[in-house]
Amino acid sequence: MINSRQTLDLKLFAASPGEPVDWRRSDQPVPYPEAVDVMERRAAAIASSEAAEQVWLLEHPPLYTSGTSGREADLVKARFPLFSTGRGGQITYHGPGQRIAYVMLDLKRRRPDVREFIACLEEWIIRTLDAFGVKGERREERVGVWVARPDKGPGHEDKIAAIGVRLRRWVSFHGVSLNVDPDLSHFADIVPCGVIDPRYGVTSLADLGLRVGLTDVDETLKQTFGEVFGF
């Protein structure tokens, strides 16, 4: 895994010559089963060279998803629907005010290395946060992007973006969720991503004092995606 002390080679996942990545944006919250169905069909088409790679930007209605490492005990209260999913990771919350970016890329065209792919997703979010003056950091022992919160006490960090991916025929789907302005109280009924240490919480751009719209976030995501994965 690429860690915070290594230099990330941004050429690792640049695509070989071919069609550009297609960008899709949904303006209304998308039900989770519908999103999974769309992703699976698109990933299959990409693997068969019948469709271009795609990044899909959307929101979900309030819900929880549990990845392949999810534990029943991490759902403290069934406040919203829970969906089991084949992505990596544990249980997390999705809802309005959170920018979901589902990333469907053909790693055969890029680099078939899951760990470095996840590191590049983290780099993508770190660069996006940097554009808004927020210092995001990766942690070797905790997937996702974190923000130091010394105002909350020594060693306190909050997670601002979660990452969970699945590969089929070396095509990725699922992706990242960046907390822009969700209701953070909705995380209280789960153990987010299985992290129980009280020093580690959840934050958002709004919680950090930044009132940023999803449109601004989307424009920045597209720019920084090109920096990491190629234009």
Side-chain angles (χ1 to χ4, degrees):
M1 172 73 81
I2 302 293
N3 62 46
S4 57
R5 294 182 298 276
Q6 294 175 314
T7 300
L8 185 63
D9 183 357
L10 297 182
K11 296 179 181 179
L12 288 175
F13 281 90
S16 57
E19 294 185 52
V21 175
D22 175 47
W23 284 78
R24 173 180 178 180
R25 184 179 189 271
S26 295
D27 293 326
Q28 299 298 321
V30 180
Y32 191 74
E34 177 183 327
V36 172
D37 179 64
V38 170
M39 280 193 291
E40 289 185 342
R41 287 189 284 111
R42 182 71 180 221
I46 294 169
S48 300
S49 300
E50 298 172 354
E53 298 174 309
Q54 185 177 76
V55 177
W56 184 12
L57 304 176
L58 68 147
E59 294 173 280
H60 285 307
L63 57 89
Y64 300 124
T65 65
S66 183
T68 54
S69 302
R71 301 175 298 186
E72 185 176 347
D74 288 343
L75 179 62
V76 179
K77 180 182 178 182
R79 188 182 202 183
F80 303 114
L82 173 67
F83 296 91
S84 295
T85 178
R87 63 158 173 80
Q90 296 174 299
I91 191 169
T92 193
Y93 166 78
H94 295 312
Q98 187 183 67
R99 176 48 84 216
I100 307 293
Y102 286 138
V103 182
M104 290 156 274
L105 300 182
D106 185 353
L107 300 194
K108 297 189 303 294
R109 290 177 53 203
R110 296 170 179 272
R111 182 181 177 90
D113 188 312
V114 179
R115 292 188 174 214
E116 290 183 356
F117 174 54
I118 291 174
C120 283
L121 291 175
E122 291 173 337
E123 180 69 17
W124 177 30
I125 298 302
I126 288 170
R127 288 179 176 232
T128 299
L129 292 172
D130 183 66
F132 296 107
V134 175
K135 183 180 180 181
E137 299 177 303
R138 60 172 58 87
R139 294 290 178 260
E140 294 179 47
E141 71 281 9
R142 289 178 266 125
V143 174
V145 178
W146 298 79
V147 176
R149 298 300 301 271
D151 54 307
K152 292 186 174 182
H156 197 105
E157 299 178 347
D158 285 342
K159 192 171 195 175
I160 195 168
I163 296 175
V165 299
R166 185 174 183 180
L167 297 180
R168 185 176 292 161
R169 295 169 63 188
W170 284 109
V171 175
S172 67
F173 54 113
H174 297 281
V176 306
S177 58
L178 172 61
N179 295 332
V180 179
D181 189 13
D183 186 338
L184 295 181
S185 72
H186 291 175
F187 287 90
D189 295 324
I190 61 171
V191 179
C193 302
V195 178
I196 60 175
D197 192 319
R199 295 175 300 167
Y200 307 139
V202 181
T203 191
S204 66
L205 290 176
D207 183 51
L208 295 172
L210 296 170
R211 294 296 174 180
V212 180
L214 287 176
T215 299
D216 292 333
V217 171
D218 292 346
E219 291 175 356
T220 305
L221 283 168
K222 190 169 184 178
Q223 174 64 33
T224 54
F225 180 91
E227 296 172 2
V228 176
F229 292 96
F231 292 95

